[in-house]
Amino acid sequence: MNWFLFQVYISTRSGAHVINRVGHHGLPFDTLLFRRYLYQLLDILPYQFLSWLLETAYLDLQFDQKMYTVKPNHWVFSKDPVLNDHFGSKLLSGAVVQKPNIQRFTENGVIFEGDKEVTECDVVIMATGYTWKFPFLEEHILKTEEG
């Protein structure tokens, strides 16, 4: 029987807010948080304050993003968060190892920023972003600004 051992690395330039799908008392996170009052607060208070409040009072209690070095360099309401129940356990168990930015590619691997040695790899998956498309809508219905 052949056993293939592999290591998964993840590298992100801007980090990500990781939110579990299951929230307090086992209820869906979006049901608990995204209510009418939140949208009213967004109209009254600056989004940076509400982001800070959500990050410190809820998100960091669920998943200490600083401990796993996935702390993003943006506020939670600035970009779409990552909804994932398994990311923390994969980092904790070592199944996924977080690395800094890729400095450069070599013939048989990559060199991460701060590393001197080549990390050998067989596959690199680059996810550089996404594009919102709604082909079923007429063009004048949806206004797009800066992507």
Side-chain angles (χ1 to χ4, degrees), residues 13-51:
R13 286 182 302 203
S14 61
H17 287 281
V18 179
I19 299 174
N20 289 331
R21 292 178 298 153
V22 178
H24 192 61
H25 295 296
L27 296 171
F29 177 78
D30 56 349
T31 303
L32 292 170
L33 182 67
F34 298 113
R35 307 250 177 145
R36 185 177 302 162
Y37 71 87
L38 178 65
Y39 293 105
Q40 290 171 342
L41 286 175
L42 283 169
D43 289 338
I44 299 168
L45 299 171
Y47 84 93
Q48 292 97 336
F49 174 74
L50 289 175
S51 291

